[in-house]
Amino acid sequence: MRVSGEVAPPGDKSVTHRALILGALSHARVTVHGALTADDARSTARVLRQLGVRVGSLRRGRRVVVVGRPWVSPSRTLNCGNAGTTARLTLGAIAGQPIEARLTGDRSLRRRPMQRVAVPLKAMGATITSEGEDGLPLTVRGGALRAFSYHTPVASAQIKAALLFAGVSGNVPVTVSEPAKSRDHSERLFAHLGFDVHTHGTTVELRGVPESWPAVPNFSLEIPGDASSSAFLVGAATLADGGEILLRSVGVNPTRTGFLEVLTRMGGHVHRLDERDVCGEPVADLAVRPATLRGVTVGPNEIPALIDEIPMLAVLASRAEGESRFREVGELRVKESDRLGLLAENLRAIGVRAAIEDNDLVVVGSDQPPRGRVETGGDHRLGMAFAVLGTTAGGTVELSETRSAAVSYPDFFSDLTHIGSHE
């Protein structure tokens, strides 16, 4: 397959969630440009509407208006769909509000761990009642919170963001320390809007919000292109037989570019053009062309900056020369699927040598055409990664389903077709 053309990837999922929730807490009229319109973002919008907030329709190419107002206890259970970010950040935001809500999600989300967020929120003063051992459903009753300092057991932007949003919602200082630096979209957004937030290494301090909060003036936010969604098109261009593509307005936040750094070590060709700042987030256009890849070792300290891109990196490793090892990636077991187990099983199913050794994923590259059936487990990132692998010369990769791409990238398959031409 040769590649050509330009693509504007969908709006960043992480930033869209945060912008919608912050707008809902602000009691202002917030205009969001370039918001993600996929299922996960729609889950956040739906939940906020049930809490009494006015949130406009999410349609690609249209701005979204959020009109914040005092939150109310919803009349029915909040269904967060497949969105772990929706569930965890909403928990944090509700913790500082004098309301009560029950949260649930689809089958996949109900099995994902929630106590890692619930435990520190309870220490802040929220009342949270679980109906199972760890996951959803659970009920949260918010109210007056206390200032809080917490060291997270794992590097997790969702834990950090949940606590920071609780601090904003309850108007109390919060300090969060992590074993490694995770995505910093929350603190960047807060700083952009004038919050008193400071970062020191892997520690973030929210010391205060503007005196006018929550009755702030109207404001507007622009969402960069999603780095994780862009990774699939970068991967497709890297594996192509020739040509070049240009991805417009992609977020290149340093806590999200681990994928690009590892790909460069593997021999990839990705060039940043027109680097700029958009609402506190670094953005660039990415020019990508094919490359011959070599195996790589990805260390534990690198994982937080590329956790969502491991499926795409593993697929690229399957076409690289030599062995690749992704160290300490056990967190993949509690994603939308047992992502770690399915990665190894599916790579083997298409003829690639792959194994799990403790918490490491080991992949041995091959130049044989990938052929076989892939079980996605309803996991959008697995489905898209293996769809990219199926574009290689002689490859025939059958996906068990394609619907899950709508969780984060509804137009993925049409964009993949747009940049490629088979010869």
Side-chain angles (χ1 to χ4, degrees):
M1 183 180 80
R2 291 185 60 85
V3 291
S4 63
E6 300 182 7
V7 175
D12 189 281
K13 185 155 70 81
S14 297
V15 181
T16 297
H17 285 302
R18 288 157 174 78
L20 294 177
I21 295 173
L22 188 61
L25 288 170
S26 70
H27 297 190
R29 179 185 175 90
V30 179
T31 304
V32 182
H33 301 270
L36 176 67
T37 59
D39 289 352
D40 272 10
R42 294 181 188 279
S43 290
T44 291
R46 180 180 62 250
V47 163
L48 292 174
R49 293 185 191 110
Q50 287 183 250
L51 292 168
V53 179
R54 286 176 52 194
V55 182
S57 298
L58 273 64
R59 299 177 182 175
R60 189 168 185 177
R62 302 276 189 91
R63 66 180 185 176
V64 180
V65 176
V66 181
V67 181
R69 57 182 65 182
W71 289 14
V72 298
S73 296
S75 59
R76 61 187 187 279
T77 298
L78 302 177
N79 189 335
C80 301
N82 188 250
T85 307
T86 300
R88 293 179 178 129
L89 269 60
T90 300
L91 274 176
I94 290 176
Q97 300 290 311
I99 64 172
E100 180 175 310
R102 181 177 183 268
L103 285 75
T104 191
D106 67 10
R107 181 179 179 181
S108 170
L109 183 57
R110 290 196 301 272
R111 60 173 287 275
R112 296 177 67 180
M114 292 293 155
Q115 288 304 306
R116 55 177 57 180
V117 170
V119 168
L121 288 175
K122 287 192 284 188
M124 288 184 72
T127 300
I128 300 178
T129 305
S130 301
E131 298 178 25
E133 291 185 4
D134 192 359
L136 298 175
L138 54 74
T139 300
V140 54
R141 186 169 73 247
L145 301 178
R146 60 181 68 94
F148 190 59
S149 181
Y150 187 66
H151 184 82
T152 64
V154 296
S156 167
Q158 292 184 9
I159 298 175
K160 177 173 62 176
L163 299 179
L164 291 174
F165 270 96
V168 171
S169 180
N171 201 4
V172 295
V174 173
T175 299
V176 183
S177 298
E178 303 180 280
K181 188 175 179 65
S182 66
R183 298 178 182 185
D184 63 357
H185 298 302
S186 299
E187 46 269 48
R188 282 179 178 270
L189 181 57
F190 294 169
H192 175 71
L193 295 176
F195 290 30
D196 189 6
V197 60
H198 300 267
T199 302
H200 312 281
T202 60
T203 298
V204 178
E205 293 182 76
L206 175 66
R207 299 175 184 172
V209 299
E211 291 184 4
S212 58
W213 189 265
V216 299
N218 300 341
F219 58 92
S220 178
L221 294 169
E222 185 173 344
I223 310 297
D226 192 284
S228 297
S229 293
S230 300
F232 300 107
L233 300 185
V234 170
T238 299
L239 295 179
D241 299 319
E244 181 176 275
I245 63 169
L246 186 67
L247 302 179
R248 293 288 190 187
S249 301
V250 178
V252 289
N253 182 314
T255 63
R256 297 287 299 281
T257 55
F259 169 79
L260 297 179
E261 293 163 11
V262 170
L263 180 57
T264 298
R265 293 211 306 270
M266 296 177 76
H269 302 301
V270 182
H271 300 283
R272 302 183 191 188
L273 309 172
D274 190 21
E275 295 190 57
R276 54 207 185 270
D277 183 275
V278 175
C279 295
E281 290 282 349
V283 172
D285 300 333
L286 302 182
V288 192
R289 56 187 173 87
T292 300
L293 302 177
R294 55 184 174 270
V296 68
T297 295
V298 181
N301 61 318
E302 299 180 89
I303 299 304
L306 50 75
I307 188 70
D308 285 339
E309 291 76 57
I310 290 175
M312 191 63 247
L313 283 171
V315 161
L316 291 172
S318 77
R319 307 302 294 170
E321 181 181 353
E323 179 182 289
S324 295
R325 181 177 291 267
F326 302 88
R327 297 185 56 211
E328 296 300 323
V329 291
E331 183 71 9
L332 291 176
R333 292 190 173 98
V334 292
K335 290 295 184 178
E336 286 86 334
S337 64
D338 175 3
R339 195 172 282 173
L340 180 57
L342 283 174
L343 262 176
E345 291 172 15
N346 286 320
L347 286 169
R348 290 193 293 265
I350 59 172
V352 176
R353 289 170 56 194
I356 300 170
E357 298 179 0
D358 294 326
N359 283 322
D360 294 359
L361 174 66
V362 181
V363 181
V364 180
S366 171
D367 59 3
Q368 295 300 307
R371 293 174 180 169
R373 186 178 190 275
V374 166
E375 174 54 60
T376 72
D379 189 320
H380 56 129
R381 300 201 192 280
L382 289 181
M384 289 187 284
F386 281 97
V388 168
L389 188 57
T391 66
T392 57
T396 54
V397 176
E398 178 190 353
L399 303 180
S400 62
E401 57 80 36
T402 60
R403 297 185 305 276
S404 59
V407 165
S408 60
Y409 196 163
D411 296 325
F412 168 70
F413 288 99
S414 61
D415 283 351
L416 186 62
T417 300
H418 171 72
I419 66 169
S421 61
H422 292 273
E423 295 187 337

